Amino acid sequence: SHSLSTPPAMGEFPALPSPKTEGVVPLAIEDFLRSLHGAPGRGCSPSAPDLAEFRPKLLAVDVRSPAEFELGHVPGAVNIPLFDDAARAEVGTDFKRRGRYEAIHKGLSLAGPNFVTFLDALQEHGAKPGSRVLVYCWRGGMRSGSMGWLFSLCGYQVNTLQGGYRSYRRWCKSIVGNEQAQAPAPVHVLAGCTGVGKTAILHELRR
């Protein structure tokens, strides 16, 4: 299971807006998940009961840093980070101390040399020019917009997630908190105080 907690001391990535890009179409969370997982109630087959292991309908690319991805991600997504953890911290620091332009300048200097690597990683996951690809970051801003621009430039059909991973977290909480909502797979809430063994039970259920 993936944590829905906010990333800790690393801090949030600065709220840089997504660049205006032709050929990149943003999707609301419901449409994004429907494209990735299928209709509600059909996202997980009996042969793959673990949401973390099932085969998605499209390639979904999480462009956040490896540490962010490890903390939690949309089930079925792969990680092709625009910045590694150190570069993410460096760009965030420049944004806070020196401003938006300097942060973008720093980001381009760090990510620009890796553009070919990003495209190679996309093909390693089975995508080819002309394929439809889903892309998201933390807020649905500059990181996913920049990667979406690159993929679109090279012939991919790109959809980004409006609101980014934060919108997915909110959607999960709304599903768990609404008994009438139709979830993509059965949802069960395991509750209990700290130390009673919830994690051990989850490990046993996964077996």
Side-chain angles (χ1 to χ4, degrees), residues 28-196:
I29 181 61
E30 292 84 1
D31 294 328
F32 187 92
L33 292 176
R34 189 176 295 110
S35 297
L36 178 62
H37 299 160
R42 300 178 183 177
C44 195
S45 68
S47 61
D50 190 333
L51 281 174
E53 298 174 357
F54 80 102
R55 185 182 298 276
K57 295 181 177 296
L58 293 174
L59 178 63
V61 180
D62 184 322
V63 302
R64 298 174 302 150
S65 68
E68 291 175 286
F69 183 80
E70 182 64 24
L71 280 171
H73 55 267
V74 176
V78 301
N79 189 211
I80 303 179
L82 179 64
F83 302 123
D84 61 22
D85 298 328
R88 172 182 178 265
E90 196 171 345
V91 172
T93 299
D94 269 10
F95 179 79
K96 291 179 181 178
R97 294 180 179 176
R98 304 176 65 189
R100 181 178 185 272
Y101 174 81
E102 293 299 334
I104 294 174
H105 190 278
K106 173 66 71 175
L108 288 172
S109 70
L110 293 171
N114 297 322
F115 279 6
V116 171
T117 303
F118 300 149
L119 293 171
D120 289 345
L122 202 60
Q123 294 202 12
E124 287 173 5
H125 287 290
K128 300 181 184 299
S131 301
R132 185 181 173 199
V133 179
L134 306 175
V135 179
Y136 71 92
C137 61
W138 173 239
R139 287 187 178 91
M142 186 160 285
R143 286 188 288 179
S144 59
S146 298
M147 289 287 255
W149 165 82
L150 175 64
F151 297 158
S152 176
L153 181 68
C154 295
Y156 293 91
Q157 300 177 45
V158 181
N159 292 116
T160 54
L161 173 58
Q162 292 177 347
Y165 183 67
R166 288 205 308 182
S167 68
Y168 173 70
R169 284 160 41 91
R170 293 192 186 104
W171 178 84
C172 288
K173 292 176 181 177
S174 71
I175 291 295
V176 172
N178 183 359
E179 295 181 358
Q180 306 302 319
Q182 188 175 15
V187 175
H188 303 281
V189 179
L190 179 63
C193 298
T194 301
V196 298

